Amino acid sequence: MKKKNLFYALVAGGIFLCAALQSGAQTVMDSLKEGERLFRLDRTDEAIPFLQKASSSGTAPQAFNYLGLCYHKKGELKMALDVFVRAMDVPGTDRRVLAFNAGNVCFDMLDFENAEKWYDSVLSADESYSPAVLNRANCRLNMGKIRESRDDYKKYLELCPEDVQKEEITLLLSVLEEEIVRLELEEMEKLSQEQRLKEEEERLAAKKAEEEALAAEKRRKLLEQMAAAIQEAENNAK
């Protein structure tokens, strides 16, 4: 009889534990859903506590992205970047989306070098992820990487031929092509000038070497003449 009572006690305890776990999981999911709802209503300050609670549980990886986006919306860029970067090591998170959002934060921080690196990491995993292509194009344009940004804009239009910004991007591409031609002509002129300078330097160096050789020859002949005169005078004295 005692064994039977113990068995029931263990079963009851298991049911209680299971119910507690289910309740905890439900609380986490409720926090995530409420945080997401408030985020979509643009009530970011209210959403943050719910998303912090959901993300701290370790069982709601989606919460990290929403939490980072909340900080980004509020203009708290360093905190947003910290959330996205930390979430990279959390099992179950969408690293592609996190890297993309980290790139966007760096872009807004005017840290174009790191923004480009984040977009690179996104595209190394999925080269057809068009938002990263477009944002990297904008990033490279700000960095003065004209040719690379041109290539990204072209690729973006290939991926999204019906994009609403197609006309603006096409116009920008024509401006970039003109700028690239100008830069190429400028580079050619620079190389031509460098070649002319090099040839002139070589000519002057050769002329100087020739003059020095002639001067050395004159000195040698003068020394020979002086030595001969001294020798002749010595012979006459005898």
Side-chain angles (χ1 to χ4, degrees):
M1 189 68 177
K2 290 182 180 179
K3 291 183 179 179
K4 187 175 182 180
N5 290 339
L6 179 60
F7 173 75
Y8 283 130
L10 289 174
V11 170
I15 292 173
F16 176 78
L17 178 60
C18 182
L21 290 173
Q22 288 178 347
S23 176
Q26 188 61 39
T27 300
V28 170
M29 293 310 298
D30 287 343
S31 296
L32 173 60
K33 289 178 181 179
E34 183 63 8
E36 181 182 351
R37 185 184 73 83
L38 292 168
F39 169 81
R40 295 188 184 282
L41 291 173
D42 203 25
R43 293 160 60 180
T44 51
D45 286 328
E46 297 174 60
I48 287 175
F50 289 99
L51 295 171
Q52 286 176 330
K53 181 178 180 180
S55 61
S56 64
S57 70
T59 59
Q62 313 95 303
F64 285 94
N65 193 50
Y66 285 113
L67 181 59
L69 291 174
C70 281
Y71 287 129
H72 194 179
K73 274 190 174 185
K74 284 168 59 65
E76 298 179 5
L77 302 182
K78 290 184 178 180
M79 292 184 71
L81 184 60
D82 180 64
V83 171
F84 292 134
V85 173
R86 282 191 296 109
M88 293 284 180
D89 296 325
V90 176
T93 55
D94 189 334
R95 290 175 175 79
R96 184 189 69 170
V97 172
L98 290 169
F100 175 71
N101 287 331
N104 293 343
V105 174
C106 288
F107 188 98
D108 287 349
M109 294 171 74
L110 305 182
D111 184 0
F112 300 119
E113 184 177 350
N114 279 313
E116 183 185 29
K117 289 178 182 178
W118 283 116
Y119 296 138
D120 284 342
S121 68
V122 174
L123 294 170
S124 65
D126 181 4
E127 62 181 11
S128 64
Y129 191 60
S130 58
V133 176
L134 179 60
N135 287 10
R136 189 176 67 177
N138 295 331
C139 183
R140 287 174 165 176
L141 185 60
N142 277 280
M143 296 172 72
K145 295 183 175 183
I146 306 299
R147 293 175 180 82
E148 293 89 341
S149 64
R150 183 265 321 263
D151 294 342
D152 274 348
Y153 285 124
K154 282 185 173 181
K155 183 177 179 180
Y156 179 74
L157 289 182
E158 291 173 2
L159 294 169
C160 304
E162 303 302 325
D163 189 87
V164 293
Q165 300 183 82
K166 180 179 180 179
E167 186 176 344
E168 291 84 351
I169 294 174
T170 301
L171 178 60
L172 177 57
L173 276 170
S174 66
V175 174
L176 290 176
E177 293 289 2
E178 291 176 1
E179 179 65 10
I180 288 170
V181 170
R182 187 191 69 79
L183 290 172
E184 288 176 347
L185 291 174
E186 190 177 90
E187 184 65 21
M188 289 173 62
E189 178 61 24
K190 181 180 178 182
L191 290 173
S192 178
Q193 289 179 357
E194 289 177 351
Q195 181 62 29
R196 289 196 295 270
L197 286 172
K198 182 180 178 182
E199 291 174 354
E200 180 63 13
E201 288 173 356
E202 290 175 347
R203 186 187 69 79
L204 291 174
K207 182 179 180 181
K208 183 179 179 180
E210 182 180 356
E211 290 173 348
E212 288 177 350
L214 289 173
E217 180 64 16
K218 285 181 180 179
R219 288 194 298 272
R220 185 184 65 78
K221 288 182 177 180
L222 178 61
L223 289 173
E224 288 179 351
Q225 290 173 359
M226 291 176 66
I230 293 172
Q231 184 63 40
E232 183 178 357
E234 179 69 19
N235 291 337
N236 291 335
K238 294 178 180 179

